[in-house]
Amino acid sequence: MTLSDPDQCVSSPPRRPFKARGSFVTRCEGCRLPLLNCLCPYRVKTESKARFWLLTHPLEHNKPTNTGRLIGDILDTTEVFTWYRTAPDIALLDHLDDPRFAPFLVFPDDQPDYAERVVDIDSVKQAKREGRIPVFIILDGTWRQARRIFRKSPYLARLPVLPLHTERLTRYHLRKPASASHLCTAEVAAELLRQSGDTVAAEVLDDYFEVFNDSYAESRRHSKLERPTAAMQRLLERQR
Ligand SMILES: [Zn+2]
């Protein structure tokens, strides 16, 4: 055997380290998206009369594809609580007792056992007229996780349940929904803002979500968006 056997060289190519999907991507510290299509330039601050409190399942928190965090990016009044079955967040309990707020638990009205708690969007508008701050509580997780949070949180049991009725279909393409009518968290929030009269905030969130969606999908293809999309241009315009 010689040390420079050409056949041996051909049969032993240099080993490449195994790379799990996404693990080698350099992410932006600000938006956690791959640097290639960073979201930060499009982060626009806006205001709304209604607020959001997200009750987030612990498994959902660190997923970069989570869209609940987009709400807080554009609306500073947003608060995020982590849901633990046995230990409710004290700050959330305090908020629920605060008479300044009119909290609504956003959840489908498809089960008969809480039918008497179900209200519609007019109740949100009524709360505004009474000078209270309407708050949309969104259970942020998969549908299974959200149902679990709903069932296993006694402190939510006295809240009015607000189902979101909309013809809108999801545009989210980072995770595959069970049905096109299952909106992701940011889409639900945008629709609630629109229906309750916070039109500008709804438009900003919709555009910001769309930019997130497109930027993320593009990065998965390892390419950079060549030119700003229409939603990007609208957000940049608002920053002027
Ligand atoms: Zn960024």
Side-chain angles (χ1 to χ4, degrees), residues 27-223:
R27 291 183 184 275
C28 166
E29 302 250 322
C31 63
R32 292 166 63 212
L33 255 69
L35 271 179
L36 197 57
N37 295 290
C38 161
L39 193 60
C40 295
Y42 309 103
R43 188 169 164 172
V44 173
K45 292 289 177 192
T46 186
E47 289 176 353
S48 61
K49 293 205 171 65
R51 297 189 187 186
F52 291 92
W53 299 341
L54 301 183
L55 192 48
T56 304
H57 193 278
L59 295 178
E60 186 66 29
H61 258 307
N62 295 317
K63 289 186 187 167
T65 51
N66 171 272
T67 66
R69 65 196 171 94
L70 301 179
I71 307 167
D73 280 356
I74 64 153
L75 290 169
D76 280 338
T77 53
T78 307
E79 292 184 67
V80 181
F81 306 95
T82 306
W83 182 79
Y84 295 108
R85 192 181 64 77
T86 51
D89 193 300
I90 302 297
L92 174 61
L93 298 185
D94 282 348
H95 277 3
L96 292 175
D97 285 336
D98 188 331
R100 286 179 301 151
F101 298 120
F104 296 89
L105 183 55
V106 180
F107 203 72
D109 55 349
D110 55 358
Q111 303 291 321
D113 57 329
Y114 53 87
E116 74 287 352
R117 291 166 59 199
V118 173
V119 298
D120 64 16
I121 202 79
D122 285 338
S123 302
V124 178
K125 295 174 183 166
Q126 178 64 28
K128 276 189 203 173
R129 284 194 293 272
E130 290 167 0
R132 299 173 78 202
I133 301 167
V135 181
F136 300 117
I137 300 181
I138 300 187
L139 309 181
D140 194 14
T142 63
W143 280 82
R144 259 179 81 102
Q145 289 164 348
R147 289 204 180 272
R148 188 170 156 75
I149 297 174
F150 185 85
R151 296 281 172 202
K152 304 277 183 186
S153 312
Y155 50 94
L156 300 178
R158 61 187 164 92
L159 299 179
V161 172
L162 177 69
L164 175 63
H165 292 147
T166 173
E167 297 297 308
R168 175 175 172 156
L169 300 177
T170 187
R171 290 178 290 153
Y172 186 49
H173 38 242
L174 303 177
R175 296 186 205 166
K176 197 167 168 42
S179 147
S181 62
H182 283 186
L183 303 181
C184 71
T185 304
E187 291 175 302
V188 167
E191 204 53 36
L192 290 167
L193 287 168
R194 179 170 293 111
Q195 292 187 8
S196 62
D198 278 311
T199 317
V200 173
E203 285 170 4
V204 171
L205 183 55
D206 255 335
D207 278 344
Y208 189 61
F209 162 72
E210 195 174 308
V211 171
F212 166 82
N213 208 17
D214 289 345
S215 301
Y216 210 116
E218 194 70 11
S219 295
R220 280 191 173 167
R221 292 190 285 271
H222 303 287
S223 65

Side-chain angles (χ1 to χ4, degrees), residues 7-18:
D7 286 333
Q8 200 180 6
C9 285
V10 170
S11 62
S12 326
R15 279 193 198 158
R16 285 192 199 133
F18 172 76

